[in-house]
Coordinates of all heavy atoms in Angstrom, one line a residue:
A206 N 16.7 4.3 193.1 CA 16.5 4.9 191.8 C 16.9 3.9 190.7 O 16.2 3.7 189.7 CB 17.2 6.2 191.7
V207 N 18.1 3.3 190.9 CA 18.6 2.3 189.9 C 17.7 1.1 189.8 O 17.3 0.7 188.7 CB 20.0 1.9 190.4 CG1 20.5 0.7 189.5 CG2 21.0 3.0 190.2
L208 N 17.3 0.6 191.0 CA 16.5 -0.6 191.0 C 15.1 -0.4 190.4 O 14.5 -1.2 189.7 CB 16.4 -1.2 192.4 CG 17.7 -1.6 193.0 CD1 17.4 -2.3 194.3 CD2 18.5 -2.5 192.1
E209 N 14.5 0.8 190.7 CA 13.2 1.1 190.1 C 13.2 1.3 188.6 O 12.2 0.9 187.9 CB 12.6 2.3 190.9 CG 12.2 2.0 192.3 CD 11.3 3.0 192.9 OE1 11.5 4.2 192.7 OE2 10.4 2.6 193.7
R210 N 14.3 1.8 188.1 CA 14.4 1.9 186.7 C 14.5 0.5 186.0 O 14.0 0.3 184.9 CB 15.7 2.7 186.3 CG 15.6 4.2 186.5 CD 16.7 5.0 185.7 NE 18.0 4.7 186.3 CZ 18.6 5.4 187.2 NH1 17.9 6.4 187.8 NH2 19.8 5.1 187.7
A211 N 15.1 -0.4 186.7 CA 15.2 -1.8 186.2 C 14.0 -2.6 186.4 O 13.6 -3.4 185.5 CB 16.5 -2.4 186.7
Y212 N 13.4 -2.5 187.6 CA 12.4 -3.5 187.9 C 11.0 -2.9 188.3 O 10.1 -3.7 188.5 CB 12.9 -4.3 189.2 CG 14.1 -5.1 188.9 CD1 15.3 -4.8 189.6 CD2 14.1 -6.2 188.1 CE1 16.4 -5.6 189.4 CE2 15.2 -7.0 187.8 CZ 16.4 -6.7 188.5 OH 17.5 -7.4 188.3
G213 N 10.9 -1.6 188.2 CA 9.6 -1.0 188.5 C 9.4 -0.5 190.0 O 10.4 -0.6 190.7
P214 N 8.3 0.0 190.3 CA 8.1 0.6 191.6 C 8.3 -0.4 192.8 O 8.0 -1.5 192.7 CB 6.6 1.0 191.6 CG 6.2 1.0 190.2 CD 7.0 0.0 189.5
M215 N 8.9 0.2 193.9 CA 9.2 -0.6 195.1 C 8.2 -0.1 196.1 O 8.0 1.0 196.4 CB 10.6 -0.3 195.6 CG 11.7 -0.7 194.5 SD 13.4 -0.3 195.0 CE 13.6 -1.3 196.4
T216 N 7.5 -1.1 196.7 CA 6.5 -0.9 197.7 C 7.0 -1.2 199.1 O 7.5 -2.3 199.3 CB 5.2 -1.7 197.4 OG1 4.8 -1.5 196.1 CG2 4.1 -1.4 198.4
P217 N 6.9 -0.2 200.0 CA 7.4 -0.5 201.4 C 6.7 -1.7 202.0 O 5.5 -1.9 201.9 CB 7.0 0.8 202.2 CG 7.0 1.8 201.1 CD 6.4 1.2 199.9
Y218 N 7.5 -2.6 202.6 CA 7.0 -3.8 203.3 C 6.9 -3.5 204.8 O 7.9 -3.1 205.4 CB 7.9 -5.0 203.0 CG 7.6 -6.2 203.7 CD1 6.5 -7.0 203.3 CD2 8.3 -6.7 204.8 CE1 6.1 -8.2 203.9 CE2 8.0 -7.9 205.4 CZ 6.9 -8.6 205.0 OH 6.5 -9.8 205.6
E219 N 5.8 -3.7 205.4 CA 5.6 -3.3 206.7 C 6.0 -4.3 207.8 O 6.2 -4.0 208.9 CB 4.1 -3.0 207.0 CG 3.5 -1.9 206.1 CD 4.3 -0.6 206.3 OE1 4.7 -0.3 207.4 OE2 4.4 0.2 205.3
G220 N 6.2 -5.6 207.3 CA 6.6 -6.6 208.3 C 8.1 -6.5 208.7 O 8.9 -5.7 208.1
R221 N 8.5 -7.3 209.7 CA 9.9 -7.4 210.1 C 10.5 -8.7 209.6 O 9.9 -9.8 209.7 CB 10.0 -7.4 211.6 CG 9.7 -6.0 212.2 CD 9.9 -6.0 213.7 NE 11.2 -6.3 214.1 CZ 12.2 -5.4 214.1 NH1 12.0 -4.2 213.8 NH2 13.4 -5.8 214.5
L222 N 11.7 -8.6 209.1 CA 12.4 -9.7 208.5 C 13.8 -9.9 209.1 O 14.6 -10.6 208.5 CB 12.5 -9.5 207.0 CG 11.2 -9.5 206.2 CD1 11.5 -9.1 204.7 CD2 10.5 -10.8 206.3
G223 N 14.0 -9.3 210.3 CA 15.4 -9.5 210.9 C 15.4 -9.0 212.3 O 14.4 -8.7 212.9
N224 N 16.6 -9.0 212.9 CA 16.8 -8.6 214.3 C 16.9 -7.1 214.5 O 16.6 -6.7 215.6 CB 18.0 -9.3 214.8 CG 17.9 -10.8 214.8 OD1 16.9 -11.4 214.9 ND2 19.1 -11.5 214.7
G225 N 17.4 -6.4 213.5 CA 17.7 -5.0 213.7 C 16.7 -4.1 212.9 O 15.7 -4.5 212.4
P226 N 17.1 -2.8 212.8 CA 16.2 -1.8 212.2 C 16.3 -1.6 210.7 O 16.1 -0.6 210.2 CB 16.6 -0.5 213.0 CG 18.0 -0.7 213.3 CD 18.2 -2.2 213.5
S227 N 16.6 -2.7 210.0 CA 16.6 -2.6 208.5 C 15.1 -2.6 208.1 O 14.2 -3.0 208.8 CB 17.3 -3.8 208.0 OG 16.8 -5.0 208.5
H228 N 14.9 -2.1 206.9 CA 13.6 -2.0 206.3 C 13.6 -2.6 204.9 O 14.6 -2.6 204.2 CB 13.0 -0.6 206.3 CG 13.9 0.4 205.7 ND1 15.0 1.0 206.2 CD2 13.8 1.0 204.4 CE1 15.6 1.8 205.4 NE2 14.9 1.9 204.3
Y229 N 12.4 -3.0 204.4 CA 12.3 -3.7 203.2 C 11.3 -3.2 202.2 O 10.4 -2.5 202.6 CB 12.0 -5.2 203.5 CG 13.1 -5.9 204.2 CD1 13.2 -5.8 205.6 CD2 14.1 -6.6 203.6 CE1 14.3 -6.4 206.3 CE2 15.1 -7.2 204.3 CZ 15.2 -7.1 205.6 OH 16.2 -7.7 206.3
Y230 N 11.4 -3.6 200.9 CA 10.5 -3.3 199.9 C 10.1 -4.5 199.1 O 10.9 -5.4 199.0 CB 11.1 -2.2 198.9 CG 11.4 -0.9 199.5 CD1 12.6 -0.6 200.2 CD2 10.4 0.2 199.4 CE1 12.8 0.6 200.8 CE2 10.7 1.4 200.0 CZ 11.9 1.6 200.7 OH 12.1 2.8 201.3
S231 N 8.9 -4.5 198.6 CA 8.4 -5.6 197.7 C 8.5 -5.1 196.3 O 8.3 -3.9 196.0 CB 7.0 -6.0 198.0 OG 6.9 -6.4 199.4

Side-chain angles (χ1 to χ4, degrees):
V207 169
L208 299 187
E209 289 193 321
R210 283 197 295 270
Y212 295 116
M215 299 173 68
T216 304
Y218 176 72
E219 300 302 328
R221 286 184 62 83
L222 295 172
N224 296 332
S227 52
H228 56 280
Y229 294 84
Y230 294 85
S231 300

